[in-house]
Amino acid sequence: MANLLWLQGGACSGNTMSFLNAEEPSACDLVNDFGINVLWHPSLGVELGENLRKLLRDLVSGAIPLDIFVFEGTVVNAPGGTGEWNRFAGRPMKDWVADLCKAAGFVVAVGDCATWGGIPATAPNPSDSQGLQFLKREHGGFLGKDFTSKAGLPVINVPGCPAHPDWITQIVVAVATGRTADITLDEFQRPKTFFQSFTQTGCTRNMHFAYKVSATEFGQRKGCLFYDLGCRGPMTHSPCNRILWNRQSSKTRAGMPCLGCTEPEFPFFDLAPGTVFKTQTVMGIPKDMPNGVDKKGYIALTAAAKNAAPRWAEEDIFVV
Amino acid sequence: MRERIGKLLADGLKTQTEPFPETAREFSRLLDELYRLPPDDLRGKLVLSGFTDTPYGPERMRCQECMYYLVHRKWCDLPELAVPVEADWWCRLWRI
């Protein structure tokens, strides 16, 4: 039996919604099949008021062992480093987070806000938000870069806006069942099993990427979304086209560009009107190249691809 | 139509080849201007988008390598243009 506590800081509840929709395994499977004891969760917990405060105090003191602490949302430090803008159970949430992270066997940050600060931490960051162990790409965050939980691991980051339901539950199960040795983390502390491949891996538009045929509008069934519509699939680490959403779809499969939401820089660009879903270019060449491709190689590749493009690359190959 | 465009260019139609839209924003502004033209204003489209009937610039850019060029149809697939083209032509909406 592993005790799990889930709290929310500066959050929209998106990752909670995602978690409650998990299927492999589901939130119920965590309890029934994997022996996870969900002590409290903002949408599931029954304790209120003093009962909740007592539970939290017991977890901090160690009277009740805290095996897994899951945090969703940013750590809010405003105003002036006090954290008073986000109070919970009688004190600033950031104070609970600091104490609970010291007491926890494992700490799991779920979603972009908890991992890198996400949208709330985007400049000018009025809530003075931080991720648990990162602020955007900068290692450190609220807990500091040297933090490790009692089990000796840093914060396990499961980013996404929201994180895919099954990334959340599968990591929780791995931790709860003592399979943390199977979890290797990348430089941003993301589990490699999910975040080593790119969103482009498994994208059904890969042939259009290869032959340089562009989609020019949302929802078009032919064409690659990278060249015009700002798709960040070739440079975003995520398995969105391997572990499908609702078992059947993904943004790119629906004709919507990848937003790069699992990367620390999300949201990208200057967010000025007309720039978000447009591939930024310099002299007609994409500003951000697919990962590992340089400008010279890109130009040579494009010329070769155009010359080699088969006739079917220009057809609408998706049939409803 | 392709022949008609070719003849217009060969006869010396003066088009706005400069300035090249260096950034995505400048590119979008040019698209907005094109969008405001009447759909059948072929000459206007050619002028505004800066068509040439030869490769352009020191890097000899041409439709053949452009993202919007459909090789088998010899067609510019940029919605704001949507005209038949030759592989060796070029316009300032070129992008790769």
Side-chain angles (χ1 to χ4, degrees), chain B residues 54-65:
Chain B
T54 53
Y56 193 82
E59 294 182 26
R60 311 295 292 159
M61 296 177 293
R62 56 186 188 145
C63 290
Q64 170 73 32
E65 283 80 32

Side-chain angles (χ1 to χ4, degrees), chain A residues 106-129:
Chain A
F106 296 93
V107 178
V108 181
V110 168
D112 276 3
C113 296
T115 51
W116 339 114
I119 291 172
T122 300
N125 192 1
S127 56
D128 196 5
S129 280

Side-chain angles (χ1 to χ4, degrees), chain A residues 216 227-228 270 272 279 281-286 298 302 306-307 309-311 314, chain B residues 20 22-25 64-73 77 79 94-96:
Chain A
T216 50
Y227 302 112
D228 260 296
D270 54 10
T279 299
T281 54
V282 180
M283 298 297 283
I285 297 169
Y298 182 83
T302 302
K306 278 284 183 190
N307 279 324
R311 186 175 293 275
E314 295 174 9
Chain B
F20 188 89
E22 291 193 32
T23 64
R25 282 191 187 191
Q64 170 73 32
E65 283 80 32
C66 176
M67 197 54 54
Y68 302 107
Y69 181 66
L70 298 183
V71 180
H72 299 283
R73 299 181 201 173
D77 207 29
W94 180 91
R95 86 191 265 183
I96 194 169

Side-chain angles (χ1 to χ4, degrees), chain A residues 5 7 40 51-61 88-89 96 100:
Chain A
L5 173 75
L7 293 185
W40 200 82
N51 288 341
L52 174 58
R53 278 195 288 274
K54 182 175 183 315
L55 170 67
L56 295 173
R57 283 197 301 269
D58 286 348
L59 288 168
V60 170
S61 71
F88 179 73
W96 284 120
L100 290 162

Side-chain angles (χ1 to χ4, degrees), chain A residues 13 35 43 91 102 112 128-129 138 144 157 196 247 275 291:
Chain A
S13 292
S43 299
R91 62 196 291 229
K102 281 182 205 153
D112 276 3
D128 196 5
S129 280
E138 185 187 331
N157 283 333
Q196 200 163 28
R247 314 259 81 78
T275 64
N291 204 291

Side-chain angles (χ1 to χ4, degrees), chain B residues 8-96:
Chain B
L8 280 169
L9 296 173
D11 288 348
L13 178 70
K14 286 294 265 184
T15 63
Q16 294 175 21
T17 53
E18 301 286 345
F20 188 89
E22 291 193 32
T23 64
R25 282 191 187 191
E26 290 171 12
F27 188 91
S28 294
R29 273 200 290 274
L30 196 47
L31 288 186
D32 287 342
E33 286 180 51
L34 270 172
Y35 189 72
R36 283 196 286 270
L37 292 177
D40 56 352
D41 184 1
L42 177 63
R43 187 180 282 260
K45 278 186 186 181
L46 297 177
V47 170
L48 195 53
S49 51
F51 263 84
T52 65
D53 56 2
T54 53
Y56 193 82
E59 294 182 26
R60 311 295 292 159
M61 296 177 293
R62 56 186 188 145
C63 290
Q64 170 73 32
E65 283 80 32
C66 176
M67 197 54 54
Y68 302 107
Y69 181 66
L70 298 183
V71 180
H72 299 283
R73 299 181 201 173
K74 293 171 66 177
W75 177 262
C76 173
D77 207 29
L78 179 67
E80 289 79 2
L81 279 175
V83 287
V85 289
E86 292 288 354
D88 276 342
W89 292 359
W90 175 85
C91 86
R92 62 175 171 158
L93 286 157
W94 180 91
R95 86 191 265 183
I96 194 169

